[in-house]
Amino acid sequence: MATNDLEATARELVAPGKGILAADESMPTIEKRFTSIGLESTEEHRRAYRDMLFTTPGLGDHISGVILFDETIRQGTKDGTPFTEVLEKQGIIPGIKVDAGAKDLALFPGEKVTEGLDGLRKRLAEYHELGARFAKWRAVITIDESNGLPTDGCIRANAHAMARYAGLCQEAGLVPIVEPETLMDGSHAIQAHFDATLRTLQATFEELFDHRIALEGTLLKTNMVLSGKEAAEQADDETVADMTLTCLRATVPPAVPGIVFLSGGQGDVEATERLDVMNKRGPHPWALSFSYGRALQAPALKAWAGKEENAEAGQRALALRAKLNGAARDGAYSSDMEAEAA
Ligand code: 13P
């Protein structure tokens, strides 16, 4: 696919008022989410849950793309319509998670490297055939100051793998979402998260450049710069916005059409507020949008609770978070909108 087609798709994914729904939970992750509502993770339960999410009326008003999991891209609604078709009818672009998960990095205790490059060219061709137009690969970077983590070795190994993945995607006509996530787990101060995120993004773009990746047809998905989840002192939203923007400006070339944030364990309202604060400070060289998993799904999962009769309540909860994040993506959110909607 020509670079301008990839660029058109990338720009569509970060269109004003819209963002991405990450619904690509792997088997262990969806099991964890279902356990929280006392539901067993069977194939039919996973199908029913995604059916509820994807058939939400008006979902396409604020959701530009949905990231699917391998099982999900092959599934459909109860009446047999493929999910890819359901999404396309709403003007939503189907995407696919293609990495095989973060595994222990040999000789680097406490650190991970994401696997999944073997056979990827063939898998991408199949996903394109199934309707996917973009892909996602997540790398995980851990902070542990007392053990000197993250190491340069771990950051470089992950950056290299992401660049190899991005090249294969562009060859196959899929927009790569490159997702280095520097985790917020730990009790470190926000400065440590800033430093680790900065090193990670710098190495990522060096590798993308070396691998001839067309940045115009690539999206970055990454974390906001935050205080460690267990840190006694928690930075306020203004500081989070300041440090995140400083970090991104120093590392992300303006050729990249958009940066989409993961929510990474932030509360759903927090994730909306912080995105809004950053967009109120725009314009920025790139669109700043969302690709939330938990921050979009958590209230919907809770309202649905695994019961068919709650499907509409689940859909209302998802539609609300999508709408409010769509506003935050434009810097047009206010906390009154939460109360009004409730
Ligand atoms: P969260 O928003 O729940 O972090 O999930 C986003 C995602 O896709 C992580 O890879």
Side-chain angles (χ1 to χ4, degrees):
M1 195 193 267
T3 301
N4 50 5
D5 291 336
L6 293 171
E7 181 172 0
T9 303
R11 292 202 179 274
E12 226 182 293
L13 287 167
V14 292
K18 293 187 182 188
I20 298 169
L21 166 64
D24 59 323
E25 295 80 5
S26 61
M27 294 298 179
T29 306
I30 197 73
E31 188 173 351
K32 210 157 67 182
R33 303 281 181 267
F34 280 3
T35 302
S36 75
I37 56 164
L39 187 70
E40 197 191 335
S41 178
T42 64
E43 186 177 347
E44 175 49 25
H45 288 160
R46 293 189 293 271
R47 193 209 59 74
Y49 176 56
R50 270 80 181 235
D51 192 340
M52 181 275 291
L53 295 177
F54 303 159
T55 57
T56 297
L59 191 64
D61 295 349
H62 301 289
I63 297 296
S64 55
V66 172
I67 315 175
L68 304 166
F69 183 62
D70 180 76
E71 177 184 74
T72 323
I73 199 170
R74 303 167 196 282
Q75 289 177 321
T77 59
K78 216 170 157 188
D79 64 20
T81 313
F83 284 145
T84 48
E85 208 177 301
V86 170
L87 296 173
E88 282 157 6
K89 271 199 192 115
Q90 291 237 50
I92 298 170
I93 306 173
I96 181 78
K97 168 199 178 75
V98 303
D99 66 70
K103 308 288 157 64
D104 289 342
L105 178 59
L107 310 186
F108 287 76
E111 297 197 292
K112 306 271 185 195
V113 66
T114 300
E115 295 187 350
L117 288 171
D118 288 355
L120 184 57
R121 176 176 275 129
K122 212 169 138 211
R123 288 169 52 225
L124 292 175
E126 190 197 2
Y127 289 138
H128 191 279
E129 190 67 32
L130 287 167
R133 291 296 174 266
F134 71 101
K136 177 192 114 170
W137 177 289
R138 173 173 175 257
V140 178
I141 305 296
T142 305
I143 298 179
D144 179 354
E145 291 176 294
S146 55
N147 287 305
L149 309 190
T151 63
D152 286 337
C154 171
I155 290 175
R156 271 205 306 274
N158 277 293
H160 183 85
M162 284 188 283
R164 296 264 319 271
Y165 141 82
L168 286 162
C169 283
Q170 293 196 332
E171 181 190 83
L174 295 164
V175 170
I177 295 188
V178 171
E179 183 186 5
E181 175 176 5
T182 302
L183 297 175
M184 65 187 291
D185 299 346
S187 55
H188 49 267
I190 191 168
Q191 186 63 44
H193 203 219
F194 177 92
D195 294 342
T197 303
L198 188 87
R199 285 166 61 206
T200 300
L201 293 179
Q202 186 178 6
T204 300
F205 281 100
E206 277 171 14
E207 289 285 345
L208 292 179
F209 189 76
D210 284 351
H211 283 79
R212 305 179 170 176
I213 305 307
L215 296 182
E216 294 81 357
T218 304
L219 293 176
L220 173 70
K221 173 165 176 168
T222 198
N223 51 282
M224 296 182 196
V225 173
L226 303 165
S227 306
K229 216 170 174 175
E230 289 89 44
E233 196 184 322
Q234 290 290 316
D236 60 22
D237 290 355
E238 298 295 328
T239 308
V240 166
D242 263 344
M243 293 184 79
T244 303
L245 290 171
T246 302
C247 189
L248 295 174
R249 275 193 221 108
T251 52
V252 186
V256 174
I259 300 168
V260 292
F261 291 107
L262 56 97
S263 58
Q266 301 178 72
D268 46 316
V269 176
E270 256 173 4
T272 307
E273 284 169 350
R274 290 166 177 167
L275 177 63
D276 181 65
V277 173
M278 283 189 257
N279 275 309
K280 280 191 164 65
R281 296 192 189 180
H284 302 294
W286 356 254
L288 276 188
S289 188
F290 59 92
S291 172
Y292 293 156
R294 281 162 285 181
L296 279 168
Q297 290 184 50
L301 177 68
K302 213 171 138 198
W304 176 65
K307 299 195 176 82
E308 204 176 337
E309 63 267 29
N310 294 337
E312 275 182 33
Q315 293 181 334
R316 275 197 302 277
L318 173 63
L320 175 63
R321 293 295 356 133
K323 181 179 157 187
L324 299 185
N325 283 304
R329 183 254 170 271
D330 294 342
Y333 166 84
S334 79
S335 52
D336 309 344
M337 293 162 82
E338 300 280 348
E340 264 170 46

